[in-house]
Amino acid sequence: LLPPLEARYQAYLEQTDRLLDEPSVRVIERILGDLARLRSERKGLQSERPDLTPADRGWASRVAALAGGPASIVVFRPATTVEV
């Protein structure tokens, strides 16, 4: 479920100006680090407690299909001029 989100975050980091958007870059880099840590901890827990692994192997693909929304959440609009 998280790989598509991670891919979107990575794509954002690759496309953004790191200097102008430094606060967002810091937050996203922290999130990506946390996701990597969570993935590692999950693997460790699954090796310690295999009984916690879901029996239904299809649940992840069903939820991923529901979460497969648009790749961009920002809509760019052309600048408008205001006459005074």
Side-chain angles (χ1 to χ4, degrees):
L1 302 175
L2 294 177
L5 178 62
E6 288 181 272
R8 289 180 183 181
Y9 281 149
Q10 287 291 352
Y12 176 81
L13 291 177
E14 292 168 6
Q15 296 171 7
T16 194
D17 182 320
R18 289 177 166 267
L19 182 61
L20 293 177
D21 200 16
E22 194 261 345
S24 296
V25 168
R26 290 180 63 170
V27 169
I28 291 171
E29 286 176 340
R30 173 75 186 264
I31 290 169
L32 290 173
D34 288 345
L35 290 174
R37 178 184 50 80
L38 289 170
R39 191 171 32 257
S40 173
E41 290 176 358
R42 179 192 54 138
K43 287 181 182 178
L45 180 63
Q46 283 179 326
S47 67
E48 291 176 21
R49 295 284 312 269
D51 59 308
L52 295 178
T53 302
D56 179 9
R57 299 288 182 187
W59 72 270
S61 61
R62 289 192 302 275
V63 173
L66 293 172
S72 177
I73 59 171
V74 177
V75 176
F76 294 97
R77 291 175 286 204
T80 58
T81 59
V82 177
E83 294 185 33
V84 180

